[in-house]
Amino acid sequence: MLNTLYPLLLQLPIGTRNPDDNSPIDLTSAFDVIVFIILPILVIILYILWRKKKKKDKEN
């Protein structure tokens, strides 16, 4: 019985986006480059700098 109900549970509700509808990142678009490449790198760099400053403040 579980085998017959399992395919029904995997269906997406009507009106929701299907994960297969996603398009790849367009690296010729400035917005995509900024959002998906530059901003994550900046977040990582700022986090590392913040941790170093926090560690330095604890030592003093």
Side-chain angles (χ1 to χ4, degrees), residues 22-37:
N22 295 338
S23 61
I25 297 173
D26 181 19
L27 294 178
T28 59
S29 168
F31 177 77
D32 285 350
V33 171
I34 291 170
V35 168
F36 295 111
I37 297 176

Side-chain angles (χ1 to χ4, degrees), residues 37-55:
I37 297 176
I38 295 174
L39 284 179
I41 291 172
L42 283 176
V43 168
I44 292 169
I45 291 171
L46 290 174
Y47 176 73
I48 291 170
L49 292 174
W50 174 74
R51 281 189 55 201
K52 283 184 180 181
K53 184 180 181 214
K54 188 175 176 183
K55 188 181 281 189

